[in-house]
């Protein structure tokens, strides 16, 4: 995969992540901090999480085709880096303590849910594109005179 294609896929992932982070923030906020009011600065959080959520994806980039085992190992590192990065950004310093363990675990589970939803949505979009290409190819083959 070329660097340009990889970067375009990360941009697509950014927007999917940003949308899903909005939903997760609503759900977790309703559970843990119901009724709390926020300032306009909180609107920057989903794009920031989207940006930081795409950074570990660069672990999986390679100019050449990776073997299945290599890709699997890189994806494991990607998920671990994603979890650690986002938890450390969200719970800096003293906030990373035993009292916040329930919230941290909920957040970690939310990261995994968003991660798998991004994979699912990306797969569905790619499948739709591939199906359309196959239909176009069939039409082309039927109209082409050999």
């Amino acid at each position: 995969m070329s660097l340009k294609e990889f970067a375009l896929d990360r941009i697509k992932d950014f927007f999917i992540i940003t949308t899903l982070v909005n939903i997760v923030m609503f759900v977790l906020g309703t559970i843990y901090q119901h009724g709390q009011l926020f300032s306009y600065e909180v609107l920057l959080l989903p794009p920031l999480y989207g940006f930081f959520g795409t950074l570990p994806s660069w672990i999986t980039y390679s100019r050449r085709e990776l073997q299945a085992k290599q890709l699997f190992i890189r994806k494991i590192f990607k998920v671990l880096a994603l979890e650690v990065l986002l938890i450390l950004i969200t719970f800096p310093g003293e906030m990373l303590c035993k009292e916040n363990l329930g919230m941290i675990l909920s957040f970690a589970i939310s990261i995994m849910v968003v991660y798998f939803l991004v994979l699912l949505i990306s797969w569905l979009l790619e499948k739709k594109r591939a199906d359309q290409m196959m239909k176009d190819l069939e039409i082309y083959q039927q109209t082409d005179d050999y």
Side-chain angles (χ1 to χ4, degrees), residues 62-74:
S62 177
R63 290 183 189 170
R64 60 182 173 79
E65 188 74 28
L66 295 174
Q67 297 174 356
K69 183 178 179 182
Q70 291 173 321
L71 185 60
F72 180 75
I73 290 170
R74 286 187 185 204

Side-chain angles (χ1 to χ4, degrees), residues 44-125:
L44 289 176
L45 290 179
L48 284 173
Y49 282 123
F51 172 75
F52 287 117
T54 58
L55 283 181
S57 296
W58 291 92
I59 292 171
T60 61
Y61 175 71
S62 177
R63 290 183 189 170
R64 60 182 173 79
E65 188 74 28
L66 295 174
Q67 297 174 356
K69 183 178 179 182
Q70 291 173 321
L71 185 60
F72 180 75
I73 290 170
R74 286 187 185 204
K75 286 197 179 246
I76 295 294
F77 281 127
K78 173 187 168 185
V79 171
L80 291 173
L82 180 66
E83 288 278 356
V84 170
L85 177 67
L86 291 179
I87 288 172
L88 290 177
I89 288 170
T90 306
F91 300 97
E94 295 176 4
M95 288 185 69
L96 195 61
C97 62
K98 196 181 262 187
E99 290 80 28
N100 291 335
L101 187 59
M103 197 180 316
I104 293 169
L105 287 175
S106 296
F107 185 71
I109 291 168
S110 298
I111 292 170
M112 291 304 296
V113 168
V114 168
Y115 176 76
F116 286 116
L117 285 173
V118 169
L119 289 178
L120 177 65
I121 292 168
S122 294
W123 179 79
L124 289 171
L125 291 172

